[in-house]
Amino acid sequence: MGPVRLALLAVVALAAAGEAVYIPYNTSAGVVAGKLNVHVVPHTHDDVGWLKTVDQYYVGSNNSIQGACVQNVLDSLIPALLKDENRKFIYVEQAFFQRWWRNQNDMIKDTVKELISSGRLELINGGMCMHDEATVHYIDMIDQTTLGHKFIKEEFGQIPRIGWQIDPFGHSAVQAYLLGAEVGFDAFYFFRIDYQDRDTRKGTKELEVVWRGSKSFGSSADIFAGIFPQNYEPPPGDFYFEVDDDSPVVQDDPLLFDYNVEERVNGFVAAALAQANITRTNHIMFTMGTDFKYQYAESWFRNMDKLIHYVNKDGRINALYSTPSIYTDAKYAANEQWPLKTNDFFPYADNPNAYWTGYFTSRSALKRYVRMMSGYYLAARQLEFFKGKSKLGPTTDYLGDALALAQHHDAVTGTEKQHVANDYAKRLSIGYTRAQELVSTSLACLTELGSKPHCSSPTTKFSQCLLLNVTYCPPSEMDFSKGKSLVVLVYNSLGWKRQDVLRVPVFSDSIVVHDSEGREVESQLLPIASASLNIRDKHVKAYLGTSPGVTPKFWLAFPVSVPPLGFNTYFVSSMKKSASVSSKSTVYSSQGSEYSSLQVGQGNLKLQYNAAGAFSLYSDSKTLIEANFEQKYKYYIGQDGNGSDPQASGAYIFRPNGTVPIKTDSQVPLTVLRGPIVDEVHQQINSWIYQITRVYKGKDYVETEFIVGPIPTDDGNGKEVATEIVTNMATNKTFYTDSSGRDFIKRIRDYRSEWKIEVHQPIAGNYYPVNLGIYVEDGNKELSVLVDRSIGGSSINDGQIELMLHRRLLHDDGRGVAEALNETVCLGNQCEGLIIEGKYYLKIDPQGEGSRWRRTFGQEIYSPLLLAFSEQDGGNWANSHTPKFSAMDPTYSLPDNVALLTLQELEDGSVLLRFAHLYEAGEHKDLSALASVDLKRVFPDKKVFFESLSHHI
């Protein structure tokens, strides 16, 4: 038997008789032509982590922080919807919905399926979370959305048709076209845009627009976009109806005190007319809900039933239960001409001194962890496909779920409480460990001769270095003196051949490297910097609970060449010093006047240092580029909120209170390491910043490694540390930053193309998110900087690029997290500020040529080579193993302008395959052209059948 509909009754007084009768509330109104139609959209916004962890929010624990229980929301929602067939509700976060769904019995599931089929419950947006749009990579956006949409399609036979990004702190062009129109959404609704932009749009009735986010796709990827006029909460006038809310309920029983129907109706109508004055067409939306509401859903619906009933009896406007889909259909039917929006909605400010640009860098270590896991997840799914997906044993699923949660707009953003950040990192770590087991098994199966598809028990044991980022790699730190050799298997997840330089820590100085064909490979030993060893000692003990033991002395660097979608194997062994061994780096210390003659770089690219020991000249003999150059550090003092405006700098907000240049300690000499593979310049900038600049043989870019922290705060000031690259290029206030790792968008300092900005924060107001890179140009050359994680960046002065690397602040910025961004690492009872280690990459090209490097090398940064280690004790590896492998035809690789985004076997045995064109229209004279991929050569050993052609998701 289907659910029984109960009519909700109202008590109405018969004034003449002085007694009450029961009548049903009439909630059946639809759209009425010629009237103002108020679309009442019941919703809840449920963060998958913020003040509490995702699981604490779901079960309702840790309520001393925040009283919120998503399980209550969903439990109470279903019976409330069943009480009146006109009631409607939308739900967004699949991470919560799927937790709830798997615990329901068949009767509840059947009921929910009927509610969804009839449109009374609509699953919109559809991702596991409401992802951020500034600090996320587009591949991660796609992956987390896919997880949610796949479930909705399989369980309910539907695909969400509306984008609902109501809380992220600014909005990207990639979201509009790739995660909007190209997903198949009919519309996209959101809230957070700059307060000046919102005020302008209210005056011109341009809060609803057609957003054209892509120059390449043009009008084919246009999407209707609606910006809420105030927030994503109920309209002004106190219309919050949670059981513990302060808003007056609709009290319509005249036999009781506080009868207020006329007052409530007048307030509702006034709010509707006010919104109508800034909205085109006779349709407006009231978002009835906010964070973690509807924990007792009937409380909301009871009052909304009454409002709809009495407002429609009043007759001035028409109110109806609705959803964003119904609202969008009404907007389309109105046949209105909509203003056109291009580019994006960054940066976001909600008042003159509150630019939400600090979170572009907040929790920089977590941002790096997310990016590392994203690239690893891409490679691991490929290897899972090559081995054959199995329900038994480890899979990539947990890592996929953990990464999906990490894209939430209070996760990778760094705007959550510390214990919640720890929870995200813990989930990633568990997923990494499980995926690492899968990867090791898959590689063993691929290397062992005679292995069959769905191999499950290979004999070869591979291990990986999960803490290589802190110079800890137990497999490579082995004792080579006993005749054993280290097997290094190098996997390339890209669709083209790759040549790179590997670095692993070793003890011995008598080492030789051979390739898979037995040829000796030139290699170099570089002394490990004390700054790196300090990180190793502290962090390994903090993570593992024990000290790492004997300390390695050197980095072993050697070049590798790896085929597309394949691996190559290298062997590291001991060799007598009289024989040919790895070259030790020449160590040279330079100080004072000696700096002026210091030049590094062995090929076309040369770096010159001046008498002060600073990088001063960049020259490339191949491109004939020569540029004066300066690279330095500074920090911004974080505003403490004690001035006339109490706005502090915090996890969300960047509000500098002065700039302090960081002068390099002239008493500490430069250390220069030279060798056949790489030249390095080591600089101790000050007591808490260390820098290594590298130029590799045969490479035409500069790699800079930075170690920043612990940032001192004993002066009572929070600090926001930035590096800047300064040239004499005339860039006319213009620079370019990527949109979610994909398109590049033109930025002009102190300027917005669609509204006139009043500048209150000239630094924070010109910061933008950087996921892939940032560049400037002057008509003759381009200076590009690529990054290894999401970061905040800008060009505050002409010819200059700056990147914010690390933030440590002492005050909360008043946006809800109620916690200062003061990350620490504790060892025993001693805690100190977090250290950030990272890299950025720099190149100067002739005008119009920089895009090739940005796109190709950008893919290599995102998808680093995957390393697996084993031991060989005598014998010949090639006799029992396949030393080299490629899934592709050996004569084929992907075109230079095409990347493989996804190769994943699904549960039913079908394969999810995604390619992406890397270039925008007009970005490169040759590589922006259309490209084709020969799938028969990508998978020469497979039969390729297409079940369907779909959008990007």
Side-chain angles (χ1 to χ4, degrees), residues 862-894:
Y862 177 81
S863 293
L865 293 171
L866 189 156
L867 307 183
F869 303 89
S870 188
E871 286 186 10
Q872 181 181 223
D873 190 0
N876 191 329
W877 182 270
N879 289 341
S880 55
H881 296 82
T882 301
K884 193 171 184 179
F885 162 83
S886 176
M888 296 172 64
D889 183 315
T891 64
Y892 185 74
S893 64
L894 291 183

Side-chain angles (χ1 to χ4, degrees), residues 107-337:
M107 184 175 69
I108 295 295
K109 288 184 175 181
D110 288 343
T111 300
V112 172
K113 287 179 179 180
E114 173 59 30
L115 289 171
I116 291 174
S117 176
S118 65
R120 293 153 67 189
L121 173 60
E122 184 174 355
L123 302 178
I124 68 170
N125 219 36
M128 299 300 285
C129 68
M130 187 181 291
H131 57 229
D132 181 51
E133 298 179 38
T135 63
V136 291
H137 195 279
Y138 75 95
I139 295 178
D140 291 325
M141 299 164 84
I142 291 172
D143 283 342
Q144 82 86 18
T145 303
T146 299
L147 280 177
H149 282 213
K150 181 173 177 289
F151 170 84
I152 295 170
K153 179 72 183 304
E154 291 174 350
E155 289 289 343
F156 307 110
Q158 294 189 1
I159 298 174
R161 52 173 295 212
I162 299 294
W164 188 260
Q165 290 282 113
I166 60 175
D167 199 25
F169 324 129
H171 301 281
S172 75
V174 162
Q175 174 67 36
Y177 82 85
L178 185 60
L179 276 299
E182 290 296 298
V183 170
F185 287 161
D186 293 326
F188 171 41
Y189 295 96
F190 52 97
F191 152 52
R192 297 190 188 274
I193 68 170
D194 188 280
Y195 72 101
Q196 295 182 54
D197 189 8
R198 188 188 310 277
D199 288 345
T200 300
R201 291 179 181 279
K202 285 181 178 180
T204 57
K205 291 190 175 183
E206 295 186 4
L207 286 171
E208 293 175 326
V209 298
V210 169
W211 191 353
R212 183 169 298 167
S214 170
K215 292 178 291 186
S216 301
F217 287 99
S219 61
S220 68
D222 286 355
I223 190 168
F224 180 76
I227 306 160
F228 300 147
Q230 183 167 334
N231 49 42
Y232 55 81
E233 304 189 7
D238 282 337
F239 294 99
Y240 297 80
F241 299 121
E242 203 71 18
V243 290
D244 56 353
D245 278 333
D246 294 332
S247 299
V249 299
V250 182
Q251 207 297 85
D252 61 344
D253 185 345
L255 302 182
L256 305 179
F257 288 172
D258 303 321
Y259 181 87
N260 64 359
V261 169
E262 183 178 2
E263 175 187 338
R264 296 270 67 194
V265 167
N266 286 341
F268 190 93
V269 171
L273 295 175
Q275 188 165 324
N277 285 335
I278 56 174
T279 307
R280 301 186 187 199
T281 79
N282 63 330
H283 296 274
I284 64 171
M285 184 194 301
F286 277 1
T287 50
M288 297 300 291
T290 184
D291 296 12
F292 300 101
K293 297 302 183 182
Y294 291 79
Q295 296 193 52
Y296 176 53
E298 183 57 31
S299 177
W300 281 85
F301 281 111
R302 180 191 306 122
N303 284 279
M304 289 186 293
D305 287 347
K306 295 178 181 181
L307 282 171
I308 291 171
H309 176 79
Y310 289 117
V311 163
N312 290 343
K313 284 188 67 175
D314 174 85
R316 285 175 286 174
I317 62 174
N318 177 60
L320 66 150
Y321 274 124
S322 188
T323 67
S325 294
I326 296 171
Y327 179 78
T328 300
D329 290 342
K331 288 289 183 176
Y332 274 68
N335 200 26
E336 177 74 20
Q337 293 295 311

Side-chain angles (χ1 to χ4, degrees), residues 56-75:
Q56 289 171 350
Y57 271 132
Y58 179 69
V59 302
S61 61
N62 211 357
N63 281 340
S64 61
I65 294 178
Q66 184 181 14
C69 176
V70 176
Q71 194 171 13
N72 286 349
V73 173
L74 293 167
D75 280 345

Side-chain angles (χ1 to χ4, degrees), residues 12-26:
V12 178
L14 296 178
E19 60 185 51
V21 297
Y22 294 92
I23 62 170
Y25 293 125
N26 182 2

Side-chain angles (χ1 to χ4, degrees), residues 796-807:
I796 299 300
N797 299 295
D798 278 4
Q800 178 250 24
I801 286 175
E802 72 173 63
L803 302 171
M804 187 178 289
L805 305 178
H806 193 9
R807 314 177 74 221

Side-chain angles (χ1 to χ4, degrees), residues 620-638:
D620 187 329
S621 59
K622 182 178 180 180
T623 61
L624 303 180
I625 289 287
E626 187 170 281
N628 293 319
F629 197 100
E630 186 178 7
Q631 186 259 332
K632 52 190 177 180
Y633 289 86
K634 62 185 176 183
Y635 68 81
Y636 297 104
I637 300 172

